[in-house]
Each structure stands twice: as C-alpha cells, then as structure tokens.
Amino acid sequence: MAVAEALERVGARSSCMFLADRDHMSLNPFGPGAAASGAFGVDGTIGGRAYALETTLTVPTADGARMWVPLIDGTARVGLLCIDVDTGDESDNGMKERVERVASLAAELIVTKHQYTDVIELARRHQPMSLEAELQRSNLPPVALITPQVAVAGILLPAYEVAGDSFDYALNAGTLDVAVIDSVGHELESSLISHLVQGSLRNSRRNGLDLPEAYAAADAAVARIFPDLRFATAAFGRLDLSSGRFRWISAGHPPVILARDGKVLGEVPTVPVLPIGLGGEDAVVNEVVLGAGDILLLYTDGVTEGGARGAERFGLDRLAELLGRGLLAGLPPAEMLRRLVSAVLQHSSHQLRDDATLLLVEHRGPRSDPPAITTAADARAAGGEG
C-alpha cells in the first residue's frame, strides 16, 4: 500500500507489483491489485524483458503509457513494478527518475520486511516447497552483488525440490570468498550435509583459517556427523580484489571455467583433492590470476549432466557456447545465469534429475595485460612456492 501511494504522488495513475518466482522464470503479482493481475513469464513478455535486462521499458497505451520498472535492491533484482501514467508523462525524464527511486526503495522494503513475515515469500512461490529446498534456500546469499571491483551472481534449481546443492559468497575488505557445494544423494540427508559444509566453511572463514585448514575442518565435521562415508564435492576459494589472484580448492568438483575478452577459454587447470568427508589430506590450493573483465564460472555436475532420460546430456561444450553468447550480448550476470539454467531445463524437458547450480564471478580490477593461467602444482613444478 505504501508503494502504491508513493507512486500516485509522483504521477502514476495506477500500479501493480510483481515478485520474481523462486524458479526465476515467472513474475507473480503482490500487494494491492494482485487479485486482478496474473503471473506472467520472464521470457517472451515486455515486463519480463525489463526484469531480465534490469532496465525501465515504456510502452504506449490508448490513454497514456505503461512503464515496466525493475525492483532492484542495490544490485539484486527481486521483481517488477507495472505503472500506468497519463499521456506526456512517459517522456518526462523527471517522472522516470522519480518512479525508479520509488522502485529502489520498494525493493529495499521487500528485502528487509521479508524477514518478519511469510507473506512476501509465499508471493514468490507457485507451489509447495519441500523441506530440503526450504533448508537450502534459507541459507543462500542474495542472488547478485555488483561493486566497482567485482560482480557475482548465483542460481540454484530446481526451486522447489532442491536437496544437495548450494552456493555461497562473502565480500570482505579486499577479498571475495565463494563456494559451490554438491552433496551426495538426495532428500533430507543430502541437504543436511550441504548445510553442514556451508556452515563449516563460513565458520572457518570468519575465524581466519586458510583454505587448507577450512577444507580439513569441513572434512572432519562431515566425517564426525556422517561416519558412513557420506560426502560432498565442493569448489571454494578466495579472490584478492587488488591483485586478481584467485586461490581455490577443488574437492572432487568440476574445474572452474574461465572467460576473457568475451571468449570462453575453457576449464582452468586444476589439481583436485578428495571430496569433503572422505578423509582427504594435504589439500592442493589451485591458483589463477585474473585480469580486469575476466570471468570465472563455478558449477555443479547437474548442469553438464542434465538431459532428458535417454537423450544426450547438456555437456560442457554447450555450457561454454551459451556462456559465450551471454557475454557477447552484454547481459547482466544474474540474467546470464538464468538463461543458462533455463537452457538446461529445456534440454532436460523440465525434469531435472539432479540439482543445477551456477556461480559467476567477474573481476573488475585495474586493466592489465592478460596474465598466464597457472596452478599451485605448476608453480611447485617450476620451483616456486605453490
């Protein structure tokens, strides 16, 4: 109600709010006027395009114009405003600026108030959610973060039945920590393992442990709670924002993908260690130095192995090709990942057999000559420190 009143004061004749569904594929009505409005898809609609490109779009109507304004909390998009204005107002730059300010404040209200009520969360769902998915989603960070030095975006599907996958990131003074986790099995036990690993990695980071120590702590925690050889694969590491140096551990996880100058270069050479929970020792810390504009993509095997039963799997080549297309199109990071996961869903006939998670990191540091790709193992082989 407060948002609708604010929009009326800046010149809107009527308005309606839509929140992004947890599957990132549709926008659901919320607030005053919701009963008279229906959900609509992100793909193939004008409103969906405004949301996807994170930009205001205006369409002429018989008696004025309709403005579609994305709701962005800082850098994470949460939904959309649909606003009807009188003829002439749509060309007023001052009007557009005022509406976008209200939209920004509305997004902040949604993000802060959802912690005190279920109403907002329920508006973002179109079906019941499993307990496993509820646990995982309660622990995820915002889907996107953009600063002058770094951009990060993550996505996790299926929205309502996810179990063992998770992602995490944290921006601290001069560093960005990231993690992608894929726990063995499905259902509640898998969700609990993922929860435990994510909590352990966060605890180690906040206690100042280095990457090998964090690996050992998470491994010990899983082995203690799940002694029957339950485990999780993970890729987790730290990006130094000033130097561009990214150091990470690959615990039985797919290698990260590197893109540079709009081109996907492929997998970064990686020395893996045992998955978390299987008693691995002497964790190898891999390393790559990123130049300004370089992009890393971390993912779980549910992305590349997705496919309808009996059909060809999605595959690494298809993932790299679609990532390249997104880069050439200049899509926002969150939208790039949404389209990648949408392609996986379509390839799987919307019946994912495993969770699919993607985490994209773009280093935006000072421009420099593209550095060489090296790992800690390469450095040791050359007589370096590793």
Side-chain angles (χ1 to χ4, degrees):
M1 182 66 71
V3 175
E5 291 178 354
L7 289 171
E8 287 181 8
R9 292 184 179 184
V10 299
R13 190 170 64 243
S14 62
S15 63
C16 184
M17 182 183 296
F18 297 85
L19 299 182
D21 194 285
R22 286 302 182 187
D23 63 7
H24 303 277
M25 302 300 167
S26 61
L27 292 152
N28 303 334
F30 174 69
S37 304
F40 60 91
V42 173
D43 296 316
T45 63
I46 295 174
R49 182 173 177 80
Y51 170 81
L53 299 182
E54 301 177 14
T55 187
T56 299
L57 296 179
T58 303
V59 181
T61 60
D63 55 354
R66 174 162 290 178
M67 301 175 68
W68 296 95
V69 187
L71 293 166
I72 301 176
D73 173 44
T75 58
R77 56 192 185 176
V78 297
L80 191 71
L81 284 177
C82 175
I83 303 165
D84 290 320
V85 298
D86 292 326
T87 301
D89 287 347
E90 76 278 8
S91 58
D92 181 357
N93 288 332
M95 171 72 169
K96 179 175 178 291
E97 182 179 346
R98 291 191 295 272
V99 166
E100 290 178 343
R101 285 181 179 178
V102 173
S104 178
L105 292 172
E108 291 183 14
L109 283 173
I110 291 166
V111 171
T112 55
K113 297 301 182 182
H114 92 280
Q115 301 179 55
Y116 304 98
T117 177
D118 289 330
V119 173
I120 295 172
E121 177 60 31
L122 291 174
R124 302 190 67 177
R125 303 182 182 188
H126 68 263
Q127 68 183 62
M129 184 175 287
S130 71
L131 172 58
E132 297 86 351
E134 195 79 55
L135 286 172
Q136 295 301 79
R137 297 209 166 271
S138 68
N139 212 31
L140 293 179
V143 296
L145 170 69
I146 299 175
T147 76
Q149 290 182 295
V150 69
V152 58
I155 193 168
L156 168 60
L157 286 182
Y160 296 93
E161 298 176 355
V162 64
D165 276 18
S166 189
F167 69 85
D168 196 21
Y169 68 82
L171 179 65
N172 295 305
T175 62
L176 175 76
D177 285 82
V178 296
V180 169
I181 302 162
D182 184 1
S183 299
V184 65
H186 298 281
E187 300 180 348
L188 186 57
E189 186 176 72
S190 180
S191 177
L192 293 175
I193 295 171
S194 179
H195 232 55
L196 179 59
V197 171
Q198 186 169 351
S200 179
L201 293 178
R202 284 179 175 177
N203 181 251
S204 293
R205 181 182 74 233
R206 292 165 182 171
N207 286 337
L209 274 61
D210 62 20
L211 295 177
E213 290 172 328
Y215 169 75
D219 184 82
V222 173
R224 183 172 68 253
I225 304 302
F226 299 95
D228 55 346
L229 296 181
R230 299 293 177 176
F231 63 89
T233 70
F236 64 96
R238 177 170 298 160
L239 172 65
D240 184 282
L241 301 181
S242 60
S243 67
R245 185 173 74 156
F246 179 65
R247 304 176 75 246
W248 82 101
I249 289 176
S250 177
H253 207 78
V256 299
I257 295 175
L258 173 65
R260 175 173 292 156
D261 296 328
K263 298 179 181 178
V264 179
L265 302 185
E267 295 179 333
V268 179
T270 304
V271 179
V273 296
L274 285 175
I276 294 172
L278 297 184
E281 299 178 353
D282 301 324
V284 176
V285 178
N286 301 281
E287 181 176 319
V288 61
V289 180
L290 305 179
D294 284 0
I295 287 175
L296 291 175
L297 182 67
L298 293 76
Y299 65 96
T300 60
D301 59 12
V303 174
T304 52
E305 294 180 3
R309 295 190 182 278
E312 179 185 18
R313 67 177 191 159
F314 192 77
L316 179 61
D317 290 344
R318 186 178 280 108
L319 175 62
E321 178 187 355
L322 292 176
L323 174 61
R325 290 183 187 177
L327 294 173
L328 289 175
L331 296 174
E335 178 61 17
M336 205 178 313
L337 295 194
R338 192 195 70 83
R339 294 192 186 189
L340 286 174
V341 170
S342 178
V344 175
L345 280 170
Q346 292 178 23
H347 188 74
S348 305
S349 300
H350 292 267
Q351 296 294 324
L352 290 176
R353 289 176 286 172
D354 196 4
D355 303 342
T357 301
L358 292 159
L359 185 67
L360 182 148
V361 177
E362 179 186 358
H363 177 53
R364 296 182 167 186
R367 174 62 63 181
S368 62
D369 293 333
I373 302 172
T374 61
T375 67
D378 296 331
R380 285 198 298 272
E385 293 182 356

PDB file of all heavy atoms in Angstrom, residues 158-182:
ATOM      1  N   PRO A 158      16.448 -27.305  -9.114  1.00  0.00           N
ATOM      2  CA  PRO A 158      15.062 -26.847  -9.164  1.00  0.00           C
ATOM      3  C   PRO A 158      14.688 -26.071  -7.907  1.00  0.00           C
ATOM      4  O   PRO A 158      15.224 -26.312  -6.829  1.00  0.00           O
ATOM      5  CB  PRO A 158      14.267 -28.147  -9.274  1.00  0.00           C
ATOM      6  CG  PRO A 158      15.139 -29.169  -8.630  1.00  0.00           C
ATOM      7  CD  PRO A 158      16.547 -28.760  -8.949  1.00  0.00           C
ATOM      8  N   ALA A 159      13.780 -25.147  -8.062  1.00  0.00           N
ATOM      9  CA  ALA A 159      13.476 -24.221  -6.976  1.00  0.00           C
ATOM     10  C   ALA A 159      12.770 -24.886  -5.805  1.00  0.00           C
ATOM     11  O   ALA A 159      12.992 -24.527  -4.655  1.00  0.00           O
ATOM     12  CB  ALA A 159      12.610 -23.082  -7.511  1.00  0.00           C
ATOM     13  N   TYR A 160      11.927 -25.877  -6.087  1.00  0.00           N
ATOM     14  CA  TYR A 160      11.039 -26.382  -5.045  1.00  0.00           C
ATOM     15  C   TYR A 160      11.418 -27.757  -4.504  1.00  0.00           C
ATOM     16  O   TYR A 160      10.832 -28.223  -3.534  1.00  0.00           O
ATOM     17  CB  TYR A 160       9.601 -26.423  -5.590  1.00  0.00           C
ATOM     18  CG  TYR A 160       9.095 -25.041  -5.923  1.00  0.00           C
ATOM     19  CD1 TYR A 160       9.233 -24.527  -7.209  1.00  0.00           C
ATOM     20  CD2 TYR A 160       8.524 -24.238  -4.952  1.00  0.00           C
ATOM     21  CE1 TYR A 160       8.794 -23.249  -7.507  1.00  0.00           C
ATOM     22  CE2 TYR A 160       8.079 -22.962  -5.235  1.00  0.00           C
ATOM     23  CZ  TYR A 160       8.213 -22.466  -6.523  1.00  0.00           C
ATOM     24  OH  TYR A 160       7.792 -21.194  -6.810  1.00  0.00           O
ATOM     25  N   GLU A 161      12.407 -28.416  -5.102  1.00  0.00           N
ATOM     26  CA  GLU A 161      12.785 -29.748  -4.657  1.00  0.00           C
ATOM     27  C   GLU A 161      14.289 -29.922  -4.513  1.00  0.00           C
ATOM     28  O   GLU A 161      14.786 -31.025  -4.362  1.00  0.00           O
ATOM     29  CB  GLU A 161      12.254 -30.796  -5.649  1.00  0.00           C
ATOM     30  CG  GLU A 161      10.732 -30.809  -5.751  1.00  0.00           C
ATOM     31  CD  GLU A 161      10.240 -31.779  -6.807  1.00  0.00           C
ATOM     32  OE1 GLU A 161      11.093 -32.357  -7.510  1.00  0.00           O
ATOM     33  OE2 GLU A 161       9.015 -31.969  -6.927  1.00  0.00           O
ATOM     34  N   VAL A 162      15.035 -28.830  -4.564  1.00  0.00           N
ATOM     35  CA  VAL A 162      16.487 -28.911  -4.460  1.00  0.00           C
ATOM     36  C   VAL A 162      16.882 -29.561  -3.137  1.00  0.00           C
ATOM     37  O   VAL A 162      16.215 -29.402  -2.121  1.00  0.00           O
ATOM     38  CB  VAL A 162      17.119 -27.504  -4.585  1.00  0.00           C
ATOM     39  CG1 VAL A 162      16.689 -26.625  -3.436  1.00  0.00           C
ATOM     40  CG2 VAL A 162      18.627 -27.587  -4.640  1.00  0.00           C
ATOM     41  N   ALA A 163      17.992 -30.312  -3.169  1.00  0.00           N
ATOM     42  CA  ALA A 163      18.423 -31.000  -1.953  1.00  0.00           C
ATOM     43  C   ALA A 163      19.886 -30.728  -1.637  1.00  0.00           C
ATOM     44  O   ALA A 163      20.205 -30.010  -0.700  1.00  0.00           O
ATOM     45  CB  ALA A 163      18.184 -32.504  -2.101  1.00  0.00           C
ATOM     46  N   GLY A 164      20.802 -31.272  -2.426  1.00  0.00           N
ATOM     47  CA  GLY A 164      22.203 -31.284  -2.034  1.00  0.00           C
ATOM     48  C   GLY A 164      23.064 -30.148  -2.524  1.00  0.00           C
ATOM     49  O   GLY A 164      24.204 -30.005  -2.081  1.00  0.00           O
ATOM     50  N   ASP A 165      22.596 -29.328  -3.453  1.00  0.00           N
ATOM     51  CA  ASP A 165      23.413 -28.230  -3.978  1.00  0.00           C
ATOM     52  C   ASP A 165      23.262 -26.973  -3.127  1.00  0.00           C
ATOM     53  O   ASP A 165      22.233 -26.741  -2.498  1.00  0.00           O
ATOM     54  CB  ASP A 165      22.991 -27.883  -5.407  1.00  0.00           C
ATOM     55  CG  ASP A 165      23.663 -28.775  -6.434  1.00  0.00           C
ATOM     56  OD1 ASP A 165      24.157 -29.849  -6.053  1.00  0.00           O
ATOM     57  OD2 ASP A 165      23.675 -28.400  -7.615  1.00  0.00           O
ATOM     58  N   SER A 166      24.310 -26.149  -3.157  1.00  0.00           N
ATOM     59  CA  SER A 166      24.248 -24.840  -2.509  1.00  0.00           C
ATOM     60  C   SER A 166      25.376 -23.977  -3.051  1.00  0.00           C
ATOM     61  O   SER A 166      26.340 -24.490  -3.630  1.00  0.00           O
ATOM     62  CB  SER A 166      24.378 -24.976  -0.991  1.00  0.00           C
ATOM     63  OG  SER A 166      24.107 -23.737  -0.355  1.00  0.00           O
ATOM     64  N   PHE A 167      25.248 -22.671  -2.877  1.00  0.00           N
ATOM     65  CA  PHE A 167      26.343 -21.766  -3.214  1.00  0.00           C
ATOM     66  C   PHE A 167      26.426 -20.695  -2.132  1.00  0.00           C
ATOM     67  O   PHE A 167      25.477 -20.457  -1.383  1.00  0.00           O
ATOM     68  CB  PHE A 167      26.153 -21.128  -4.599  1.00  0.00           C
ATOM     69  CG  PHE A 167      25.018 -20.140  -4.705  1.00  0.00           C
ATOM     70  CD1 PHE A 167      25.195 -18.800  -4.351  1.00  0.00           C
ATOM     71  CD2 PHE A 167      23.776 -20.541  -5.174  1.00  0.00           C
ATOM     72  CE1 PHE A 167      24.146 -17.891  -4.449  1.00  0.00           C
ATOM     73  CE2 PHE A 167      22.722 -19.638  -5.271  1.00  0.00           C
ATOM     74  CZ  PHE A 167      22.903 -18.304  -4.907  1.00  0.00           C
ATOM     75  N   ASP A 168      27.579 -20.055  -2.066  1.00  0.00           N
ATOM     76  CA  ASP A 168      27.789 -19.046  -1.041  1.00  0.00           C
ATOM     77  C   ASP A 168      28.826 -18.047  -1.530  1.00  0.00           C
ATOM     78  O   ASP A 168      29.668 -18.380  -2.378  1.00  0.00           O
ATOM     79  CB  ASP A 168      28.265 -19.697   0.259  1.00  0.00           C
ATOM     80  CG  ASP A 168      28.134 -18.771   1.468  1.00  0.00           C
ATOM     81  OD1 ASP A 168      27.331 -17.812   1.404  1.00  0.00           O
ATOM     82  OD2 ASP A 168      28.828 -19.010   2.468  1.00  0.00           O
ATOM     83  N   TYR A 169      28.757 -16.829  -1.023  1.00  0.00           N
ATOM     84  CA  TYR A 169      29.813 -15.842  -1.262  1.00  0.00           C
ATOM     85  C   TYR A 169      29.795 -14.822  -0.141  1.00  0.00           C
ATOM     86  O   TYR A 169      28.782 -14.656   0.554  1.00  0.00           O
ATOM     87  CB  TYR A 169      29.665 -15.166  -2.636  1.00  0.00           C
ATOM     88  CG  TYR A 169      28.460 -14.267  -2.777  1.00  0.00           C
ATOM     89  CD1 TYR A 169      28.465 -12.954  -2.318  1.00  0.00           C
ATOM     90  CD2 TYR A 169      27.303 -14.734  -3.400  1.00  0.00           C
ATOM     91  CE1 TYR A 169      27.366 -12.136  -2.446  1.00  0.00           C
ATOM     92  CE2 TYR A 169      26.188 -13.923  -3.535  1.00  0.00           C
ATOM     93  CZ  TYR A 169      26.221 -12.623  -3.056  1.00  0.00           C
ATOM     94  OH  TYR A 169      25.125 -11.816  -3.186  1.00  0.00           O
ATOM     95  N   ALA A 170      30.913 -14.154   0.031  1.00  0.00           N
ATOM     96  CA  ALA A 170      31.008 -13.098   1.049  1.00  0.00           C
ATOM     97  C   ALA A 170      32.054 -12.094   0.595  1.00  0.00           C
ATOM     98  O   ALA A 170      33.190 -12.467   0.277  1.00  0.00           O
ATOM     99  CB  ALA A 170      31.388 -13.678   2.403  1.00  0.00           C
ATOM    100  N   LEU A 171      31.663 -10.837   0.538  1.00  0.00           N
ATOM    101  CA  LEU A 171      32.575  -9.761   0.176  1.00  0.00           C
ATOM    102  C   LEU A 171      33.100  -9.120   1.447  1.00  0.00           C
ATOM    103  O   LEU A 171      32.340  -8.574   2.245  1.00  0.00           O
ATOM    104  CB  LEU A 171      31.857  -8.724  -0.688  1.00  0.00           C
ATOM    105  CG  LEU A 171      32.682  -7.521  -1.138  1.00  0.00           C
ATOM    106  CD1 LEU A 171      33.808  -7.957  -2.064  1.00  0.00           C
ATOM    107  CD2 LEU A 171      31.783  -6.501  -1.834  1.00  0.00           C
ATOM    108  N   ASN A 172      34.404  -9.178   1.647  1.00  0.00           N
ATOM    109  CA  ASN A 172      35.045  -8.578   2.810  1.00  0.00           C
ATOM    110  C   ASN A 172      36.082  -7.559   2.347  1.00  0.00           C
ATOM    111  O   ASN A 172      36.180  -7.264   1.157  1.00  0.00           O
ATOM    112  CB  ASN A 172      35.673  -9.669   3.675  1.00  0.00           C
ATOM    113  CG  ASN A 172      34.610 -10.594   4.270  1.00  0.00           C
ATOM    114  OD1 ASN A 172      33.683 -10.136   4.927  1.00  0.00           O
ATOM    115  ND2 ASN A 172      34.738 -11.886   4.019  1.00  0.00           N
ATOM    116  N   ALA A 173      36.834  -7.022   3.266  1.00  0.00           N
ATOM    117  CA  ALA A 173      37.812  -5.986   2.928  1.00  0.00           C
ATOM    118  C   ALA A 173      38.871  -6.530   1.973  1.00  0.00           C
ATOM    119  O   ALA A 173      39.763  -7.263   2.377  1.00  0.00           O
ATOM    120  CB  ALA A 173      38.476  -5.467   4.197  1.00  0.00           C
ATOM    121  N   GLY A 174      38.731  -6.195   0.692  1.00  0.00           N
ATOM    122  CA  GLY A 174      39.732  -6.569  -0.294  1.00  0.00           C
ATOM    123  C   GLY A 174      39.641  -7.969  -0.840  1.00  0.00           C
ATOM    124  O   GLY A 174      40.448  -8.363  -1.687  1.00  0.00           O
ATOM    125  N   THR A 175      38.641  -8.759  -0.401  1.00  0.00           N
ATOM    126  CA  THR A 175      38.536 -10.140  -0.880  1.00  0.00           C
ATOM    127  C   THR A 175      37.091 -10.531  -1.135  1.00  0.00           C
ATOM    128  O   THR A 175      36.156  -9.977  -0.539  1.00  0.00           O
ATOM    129  CB  THR A 175      39.132 -11.137   0.131  1.00  0.00           C
ATOM    130  OG1 THR A 175      38.389 -11.071   1.358  1.00  0.00           O
ATOM    131  CG2 THR A 175      40.601 -10.850   0.389  1.00  0.00           C
ATOM    132  N   LEU A 176      36.926 -11.510  -2.014  1.00  0.00           N
ATOM    133  CA  LEU A 176      35.627 -12.142  -2.233  1.00  0.00           C
ATOM    134  C   LEU A 176      35.806 -13.644  -2.050  1.00  0.00           C
ATOM    135  O   LEU A 176      36.602 -14.266  -2.760  1.00  0.00           O
ATOM    136  CB  LEU A 176      35.096 -11.855  -3.637  1.00  0.00           C
ATOM    137  CG  LEU A 176      33.792 -12.588  -3.982  1.00  0.00           C
ATOM    138  CD1 LEU A 176      32.602 -11.927  -3.294  1.00  0.00           C
ATOM    139  CD2 LEU A 176      33.568 -12.641  -5.501  1.00  0.00           C
ATOM    140  N   ASP A 177      35.091 -14.222  -1.088  1.00  0.00           N
ATOM    141  CA  ASP A 177      35.100 -15.670  -0.893  1.00  0.00           C
ATOM    142  C   ASP A 177      33.889 -16.275  -1.584  1.00  0.00           C
ATOM    143  O   ASP A 177      32.771 -15.734  -1.487  1.00  0.00           O
ATOM    144  CB  ASP A 177      35.065 -16.005   0.596  1.00  0.00           C
ATOM    145  CG  ASP A 177      36.390 -15.757   1.276  1.00  0.00           C
ATOM    146  OD1 ASP A 177      36.669 -14.595   1.640  1.00  0.00           O
ATOM    147  OD2 ASP A 177      37.154 -16.724   1.423  1.00  0.00           O
ATOM    148  N   VAL A 178      34.083 -17.403  -2.259  1.00  0.00           N
ATOM    149  CA  VAL A 178      32.991 -18.065  -2.962  1.00  0.00           C
ATOM    150  C   VAL A 178      33.047 -19.566  -2.699  1.00  0.00           C
ATOM    151  O   VAL A 178      34.107 -20.118  -2.379  1.00  0.00           O
ATOM    152  CB  VAL A 178      33.053 -17.812  -4.488  1.00  0.00           C
ATOM    153  CG1 VAL A 178      32.874 -16.345  -4.805  1.00  0.00           C
ATOM    154  CG2 VAL A 178      34.354 -18.337  -5.078  1.00  0.00           C
ATOM    155  N   ALA A 179      31.894 -20.221  -2.845  1.00  0.00           N
ATOM    156  CA  ALA A 179      31.830 -21.672  -2.673  1.00  0.00           C
ATOM    157  C   ALA A 179      30.642 -22.222  -3.435  1.00  0.00           C
ATOM    158  O   ALA A 179      29.571 -21.597  -3.474  1.00  0.00           O
ATOM    159  CB  ALA A 179      31.725 -22.043  -1.198  1.00  0.00           C
ATOM    160  N   VAL A 180      30.837 -23.375  -4.045  1.00  0.00           N
ATOM    161  CA  VAL A 180      29.748 -24.146  -4.643  1.00  0.00           C
ATOM    162  C   VAL A 180      29.850 -25.557  -4.073  1.00  0.00           C
ATOM    163  O   VAL A 180      30.936 -26.149  -4.063  1.00  0.00           O
ATOM    164  CB  VAL A 180      29.842 -24.168  -6.184  1.00  0.00           C
ATOM    165  CG1 VAL A 180      28.870 -25.186  -6.755  1.00  0.00           C
ATOM    166  CG2 VAL A 180      29.537 -22.797  -6.747  1.00  0.00           C
ATOM    167  N   ILE A 181      28.731 -26.100  -3.603  1.00  0.00           N
ATOM    168  CA  ILE A 181      28.716 -27.373  -2.882  1.00  0.00           C
ATOM    169  C   ILE A 181      27.701 -28.310  -3.520  1.00  0.00           C
ATOM    170  O   ILE A 181      26.601 -27.898  -3.903  1.00  0.00           O
ATOM    171  CB  ILE A 181      28.347 -27.142  -1.405  1.00  0.00           C
ATOM    172  CG1 ILE A 181      29.344 -26.174  -0.749  1.00  0.00           C
ATOM    173  CG2 ILE A 181      28.293 -28.464  -0.633  1.00  0.00           C
ATOM    174  CD1 ILE A 181      28.825 -25.564   0.542  1.00  0.00           C
ATOM    175  N   ASP A 182      28.064 -29.580  -3.609  1.00  0.00           N
ATOM    176  CA  ASP A 182      27.182 -30.609  -4.163  1.00  0.00           C
ATOM    177  C   ASP A 182      27.303 -31.848  -3.285  1.00  0.00           C
ATOM    178  O   ASP A 182      28.296 -32.575  -3.341  1.00  0.00           O
ATOM    179  CB  ASP A 182      27.583 -30.927  -5.607  1.00  0.00           C
ATOM    180  CG  ASP A 182      26.647 -31.928  -6.269  1.00  0.00           C
ATOM    181  OD1 ASP A 182      25.679 -32.372  -5.623  1.00  0.00           O
ATOM    182  OD2 ASP A 182      26.891 -32.277  -7.442  1.00  0.00           O
TER     183      ASP A 182
END
